Amino acid sequence: MTVSSPVRLIHPKRFGDDRGWFTEVYSEKAFDAVGISVRFVQDNHSLSHPMGTLRGLHYQTPPFGQDKLVRCVVGSIFDVAVDIRRGSPTYGKWVGAELSAENGCQLFIPIGFAHGFLTLTPDAQVSYKCSNVYAPANDGGIRWNDPDIGIVWPLPEGVSPTLSAKDEKAQMLKEFVSPFEYDGNPLQPLEF
């Protein structure tokens, strides 16, 4: 049996005609069929006015860890997941993909991964489902530009992202003591 990556790029099918298109962005049955068995309990929606807004790298610690299903509904983003499961052979490694209103792709990010995104267009809107509620006391972050992770953010040379005060001072990976355990499912490149 082949073990698939825990982070998955989802390509919902669009059915179109001269009026536009229709897509099913989530179906419990369809997701179960591809090995994603998660109960979502909260939907979030964000608007980022400036192009180059960077949100992340965020996670929530147990018992409030969150699986996320992320999509961009207006504009486009570069969406990233970083493996922060202790004992993982891919600890500190990342994958990323462009999600846009045009391509309709979604990124499934399970518990044990830090999540962040960079807006590639002005007024980008992101919608994502979460498997647990927001718990401020369990909210954490890793620095977006940590050299030990080495994310290649698609920023123009010499341009700094727009960050929140919280994200500017997030901890580095080497300071992080992970409460997440490796489950035997290593991070693999995304299948486009």
Side-chain angles (χ1 to χ4, degrees), residues 23-164:
T23 188
E24 188 175 83
V25 295
Y26 176 74
S27 159
E28 184 176 46
K29 182 179 177 182
F31 274 61
D32 276 345
V34 296
I36 300 173
S37 299
V38 173
R39 180 177 169 256
F40 293 109
V41 299
Q42 180 174 311
D43 280 9
N44 298 330
H45 191 128
S46 72
L47 165 65
S48 300
H49 288 300
M51 181 173 70
T53 296
L54 196 149
R55 297 179 186 263
L57 301 163
H58 302 150
Y59 59 86
Q60 279 196 179
T61 59
F64 292 99
Q66 293 179 322
D67 300 287
K68 295 178 181 175
L69 180 61
V70 183
R71 65 189 182 112
C72 184
V73 295
V74 174
S76 65
I77 64 171
F78 183 66
D79 204 41
V80 171
V82 178
D83 189 346
I84 56 172
R85 301 168 298 163
R86 74 176 175 274
S88 171
T90 54
Y91 183 82
K93 302 294 185 207
W94 65 277
V95 292
E98 183 175 336
L99 308 181
S100 69
E102 185 177 323
N103 71 23
C105 291
Q106 302 177 85
L107 196 61
F108 173 73
I109 303 161
I111 295 168
F113 289 80
H115 170 247
F117 65 85
L118 173 73
T119 61
L120 303 177
T121 57
D123 299 318
Q125 293 187 40
V126 176
S127 177
Y128 55 101
K129 297 182 157 316
C130 298
S131 65
N132 211 332
V133 297
Y134 175 66
N138 296 76
D139 187 35
I142 305 286
R143 190 88 48 89
W144 69 277
N145 61 349
D146 187 322
D148 289 337
I149 299 171
I151 297 170
V152 181
W153 297 102
L155 283 163
E157 184 77 28
V159 173
S160 295
T162 302
L163 299 164
S164 70

Side-chain angles (χ1 to χ4, degrees), residues 161-176:
T162 302
L163 299 164
S164 70
K166 176 182 113 178
D167 290 345
E168 281 182 355
K169 61 183 180 192
Q171 67 187 321
M172 303 300 266
L173 186 65
K174 65 184 169 197
E175 302 163 340
F176 176 62

